[in-house]
Amino acid sequence: MAIVMEVSREKFEELVAEALDTIPSELTRVMDNVVVVVVDDPPEPDLLGLYTGVPLTQRGDWYSAVLPDRIEIYRNPICQMCDTEEQVVKEVQITVVHEIAHHFGIDDDRLHQLGW
């Protein structure tokens, strides 16, 4: 049986906040109407994060008075795949960057081409 890395929800939320702080300010300045939240379990297996919303590249004149886009970072699957807290920190960083890229309209294929 694999050992699961235990990281409290509070600590995990701090790691997500720290990952967000590493995003260059020229990008965070243009992020618009998006919220990042920690959720314990994903809606389907094998997800580490999920972006739901309308990417910046697809917004037009019609885009107003809509609920914020939502980026969910899933605590339990990230902790389950890591053996150390350092691995959790790295995986949180990768997942946060990955989901923010979706907010900017970058799809999974392009992210993989870029090494993410």
Side-chain angles (χ1 to χ4, degrees):
M1 179 174 202
I3 296 173
V4 174
M5 182 65 208
E6 288 292 330
V7 177
S8 72
R9 183 167 181 111
E10 179 178 61
K11 176 64 176 173
F12 195 88
E13 288 173 351
E14 289 173 14
L15 295 176
V16 170
E18 290 169 7
L20 287 167
D21 287 344
T22 67
I23 304 298
S25 61
E26 53 270 12
L27 294 178
T28 57
R29 277 196 298 271
V30 295
M31 289 176 64
D32 183 46
N33 200 31
V34 61
V35 62
V36 179
V37 296
V38 170
V39 177
D40 285 338
D41 297 303
E44 58 188 73
D46 302 323
L47 283 180
L48 303 181
L50 181 66
Y51 168 77
T52 307
V54 179
L56 294 175
T57 54
Q58 296 178 10
R59 295 180 185 180
D61 294 338
W62 57 269
Y63 186 86
S64 66
V66 297
L67 291 173
D69 291 2
R70 183 175 173 95
I71 292 173
E72 295 180 347
I73 308 298
Y74 300 116
R75 183 174 69 95
N76 288 334
I78 290 175
C79 290
Q80 289 168 357
M81 69 183 291
C82 297
D83 296 322
T84 66
E85 189 169 323
E86 291 77 25
Q87 289 175 344
V88 173
V89 169
K90 182 176 180 180
E91 198 56 54
V92 165
Q93 176 71 38
I94 291 168
T95 305
V96 166
V97 168
H98 187 98
E99 300 310 326
I100 287 174
H102 290 322
H103 176 68
F104 282 96
I106 302 171
D107 65 17
D108 283 334
D109 289 338
R110 182 66 180 134
L111 280 167
H112 291 294
Q113 289 172 353
L114 295 169
W116 290 97

